[in-house]
Amino acid sequence: LKGQEFFEGTLTFEVKLKGPMAEMLYKNEPNNKMTMHVRDADYIILLSGGRYPKTFFFVADSNVEYSVDMSKREAYKFSMHGDKARASHKSEKRKPVEATPTGNQVEVQGVLCDEYKMRKDNSMFTFYVSDDYRVNLDLYPKIPRTKASFLIKGLDGRIPLKTIKRQKDLQVITTAVKITSQDFDPKQFQLPPGFKVKGRDYRW
């Protein structure tokens, strides 16, 4: 993979739930759309289509994933999402997880992807990735405070274009529906001027 260009741009995903638990979860109006903007080691994630839209910024220089309230112009260093990431990181110190290739290939949005699988706790993950959509891991902090899927060991920075998470009675399927390469202004990946940075996000 040496010498290959890294992806910069926007990926839009749709999220679907299947299984006996899906109907109950849909009653809570979960987010069913995810938009991810990626530049170098920074990213922005917008979750929409549900009752509570959410925005997350990962700023590599400060190694923090902020949850952001755009209307109140506030950013929070700690959230339930971040708590899960830290708990997961601690568990991985005891029991490292790694995605491994199966040798199968599947086409996602016209892109031929390699299939990887990973078991973590009571969940089985299947990832579909391509060398053409990849971040530069060398730009990330040594211990990044984020659980972005492309940082999973074994994927080598490849961004999953499709992810299937299987648990008892539930499948969560996240699939890319649009991929756009573009050059971003680095300032777009900084917290907007005047935003107040707070500690814990108690909104959800």
Side-chain angles (χ1 to χ4, degrees), residues 74-108:
E74 293 178 343
Y76 306 88
K77 288 184 176 181
F78 308 107
S79 67
M80 283 182 61
H81 193 267
D83 290 343
K84 289 177 182 176
R86 282 185 289 277
S88 176
H89 178 70
K90 286 180 180 178
S91 70
E92 284 171 17
K93 284 184 177 179
R94 299 190 299 269
K95 186 181 178 183
V97 294
E98 182 173 352
T100 56
T102 66
N104 296 328
Q105 291 186 311
V106 170
E107 195 172 283
V108 181

Side-chain angles (χ1 to χ4, degrees), residues 21-105:
M21 288 281 292
E23 185 177 350
M24 183 188 74
L25 293 175
Y26 273 128
K27 289 179 181 178
N28 294 324
E29 299 177 42
N31 303 118
N32 59 16
K33 182 178 177 182
M34 178 174 74
T35 302
M36 181 166 62
H37 307 294
V38 180
R39 182 189 181 279
D40 291 340
D42 298 328
Y43 64 75
I44 301 168
I45 291 178
L46 309 172
L47 301 179
S48 59
R51 187 183 301 179
Y52 301 111
K54 303 175 183 69
T55 301
F56 298 97
F57 274 66
F58 180 72
V59 182
D61 285 347
S62 54
N63 198 11
V64 173
E65 185 183 69
Y66 297 94
S67 58
V68 178
D69 188 326
M70 300 301 287
S71 62
K72 292 184 178 179
R73 299 180 65 79
E74 293 178 343
Y76 306 88
K77 288 184 176 181
F78 308 107
S79 67
M80 283 182 61
H81 193 267
D83 290 343
K84 289 177 182 176
R86 282 185 289 277
S88 176
H89 178 70
K90 286 180 180 178
S91 70
E92 284 171 17
K93 284 184 177 179
R94 299 190 299 269
K95 186 181 178 183
V97 294
E98 182 173 352
T100 56
T102 66
N104 296 328
Q105 291 186 311

Side-chain angles (χ1 to χ4, degrees), residues 157-174:
R158 299 177 188 90
I159 302 168
L161 301 188
K162 183 174 182 178
T163 302
I164 303 173
K165 180 182 180 181
R166 291 184 174 88
Q167 299 170 293
K168 185 183 178 183
D169 297 332
L170 181 67
Q171 284 188 45
V172 181
I173 304 164
T174 305

